[in-house]
Amino acid sequence: MEEGTLKSPRHPTGTAPAPAPAAAARCDYGDADPFQWDTREDCEVRQILDRIGDKWSLLVIALLDVSTLRFTELRREIDGISQRMLTVTLRQLERDGLVKRTVHPVVPPRVEYQLTPMGRTLHTTINALVVWTEEHQNQIAAAREEYDRRAATAL
């Protein structure tokens, strides 16, 4: 069932999703189609974007770009992350081929994490977004203040 739909006695399978707006159907967006990433859970691109765009993954990728780290070092560096959330995040990034996990056969076991070559390319992309944000943060802050001022006077 689509997110936002409701079950009712008349519609046990849920209500039908709303049709696409007529204007969107008429527009040709070319290569920049804003509807290219399906919002359904089974869309691979959407799943990957959701994974790499969450705050924990971004922090792990940024830290591992600097050096190879152990689990405890990562947990110490990432304020507010639980042990379980860090474990889940690392497993997902490893599954996606972005992080390599190395277990050293010593007692006690030593496990290290590092970015894969593909993970390093992702960090480069993320870094471009960070640079853009830093360059425009004052303009964004001013736009927010102006918006809030207009919203306050409209009440």
Side-chain angles (χ1 to χ4, degrees):
M1 180 181 330
E2 292 287 327
E3 183 178 326
T5 60
L6 302 173
K7 289 184 179 181
S8 72
R10 288 187 173 172
H11 302 282
T13 59
T15 57
R26 289 189 303 249
C27 292
D28 178 17
Y29 295 102
D31 290 339
D33 180 5
F35 303 105
Q36 66 185 328
W37 297 311
D38 196 328
T39 58
R40 294 175 304 184
E41 288 183 18
D42 61 345
C43 176
E44 285 287 325
V45 172
R46 180 58 183 251
Q47 288 175 6
I48 295 167
L49 288 172
D50 286 347
R51 168 91 24 78
I52 62 176
D54 75 67
K55 69 179 178 178
W56 301 126
S57 294
L58 291 173
L59 289 169
V60 167
I61 290 166
L63 286 168
L64 292 179
D65 187 61
V66 176
S67 68
T68 298
L69 295 171
R70 295 176 69 173
F71 184 91
T72 53
E73 294 170 321
L74 281 166
R75 184 152 183 232
R76 194 177 313 120
E77 291 292 325
I78 303 174
D79 188 39
I81 194 168
S82 68
Q83 181 172 335
R84 182 185 182 289
M85 193 68 240
L86 181 55
T87 299
V88 168
T89 300
L90 287 166
R91 283 184 184 156
Q92 291 173 338
L93 292 171
E94 182 182 10
R95 181 173 182 252
D96 290 343
L98 302 172
V99 168
K100 179 184 177 193
R101 179 178 184 261
T102 304
V103 180
H104 297 279
V106 294
V107 177
R110 191 176 87 221
V111 181
E112 295 179 330
Y113 297 90
Q114 65 187 54
L115 287 183
T116 63
M118 183 170 56
R120 291 204 183 283
T121 65
L122 177 59
H123 183 265
T124 302
T125 302
I126 292 168
N127 195 46
L129 181 61
V130 171
V131 168
W132 180 91
T133 304
E134 289 170 344
E135 290 174 356
H136 294 89
Q137 65 183 340
N138 293 335
Q139 292 170 279
I140 292 169
R144 287 176 177 174
E145 288 176 14
E146 177 61 26
Y147 178 90
D148 292 345
R149 194 172 19 262
R150 285 192 321 263
T153 59
L155 297 175

